[in-house]
Amino acid sequence: MKIAGLDIGTTGCKITVFDQSGDYLDKAYQDYPVSRGNGEHEVDAQAILNGVVSVMKEIGKRHPDIAGLGVTSFGETFVMTDEEGNPLHKAMLYTDPRGSKECRELEEQMGGRKIASITGVKPHEMYSLSKMMWIRKNQPEIYEKAAHAFLMED
């Protein structure tokens, strides 16, 4: 029996394979470009998906007997999609500063304690909610077309 771990990271993804004793057997890696500039931190969600499929196919050919797969990803990075799952914008990284004003507004409206009691975490601009609020205000054409919001592990 073999197990594998898929790590979807900020600049690339990798899958690592281990035997039943936990000994390392193999890995595959694929990077993808990230853009940081003009107050934006973004990555192409399709490039991430392509990278994930690529490393899984590569490892699957060499290790078709993998019995389990664990997945980790890079936090609150998200993308809004249409009904068919097609990205409507580049994925906003959790480090993207857009949404910081919206986070403060949300905290002022609801209160940090109330938000924490509902979500289990204190309000923070890295979370996707305030970035979605930013999109609603600044890119309403995207927000109106959105049927789904997916984090990278989704």
Side-chain angles (χ1 to χ4, degrees):
M1 178 183 79
K2 296 175 187 171
I3 58 171
L6 172 65
D7 177 32
I8 306 168
T10 305
T11 59
C13 60
K14 67 181 172 198
I15 187 167
T16 309
V17 181
F18 302 91
D19 67 16
Q20 61 189 17
S21 299
D23 294 322
Y24 167 85
L25 297 175
D26 200 359
K27 77 174 179 182
Y29 177 81
Q30 177 70 49
D31 60 358
Y32 30 80
V34 171
S35 63
R36 290 184 175 95
N38 299 326
E40 300 171 349
H41 299 181
E42 300 176 322
V43 62
D44 182 349
Q46 190 61 53
I48 295 170
L49 182 57
N50 293 345
V52 168
V53 170
S54 174
V55 297
M56 290 183 71
K57 283 183 177 180
E58 182 180 338
I59 286 295
K61 287 178 184 174
R62 295 196 303 254
H63 303 278
D65 55 339
I66 293 173
L69 176 69
V71 180
T72 63
S73 73
F74 54 120
E76 288 289 314
T77 298
F78 81 99
V79 65
M80 297 174 99
T81 73
D82 64 17
E83 191 65 46
E84 288 78 39
N86 300 307
L88 298 171
H89 61 92
K90 289 196 174 186
M92 294 176 77
L93 294 173
Y94 62 97
T95 59
D96 194 306
R98 294 173 290 175
S100 59
K101 179 181 172 189
E102 289 74 13
C103 182
R104 288 190 304 275
E105 290 172 2
L106 184 63
E107 191 169 6
E108 288 170 9
Q109 288 174 8
M110 293 185 64
R113 285 182 176 233
K114 176 149 179 131
I115 293 169
S117 73
I118 294 168
T119 65
V121 294
K122 293 180 180 180
H124 194 282
E125 63 188 54
M126 79 171 177
Y127 295 121
S128 53
L129 178 59
S130 59
K131 293 174 188 1
M132 286 181 218
M133 292 168 64
W134 183 91
I135 289 174
R136 184 178 66 193
K137 282 183 186 176
N138 296 280
Q139 298 175 332
E141 68 285 356
I142 290 174
Y143 190 83
E144 289 170 13
K145 291 179 186 174
H148 308 283
F150 293 115
L151 298 176
M152 289 302 106
E153 65 269 16
D154 300 330

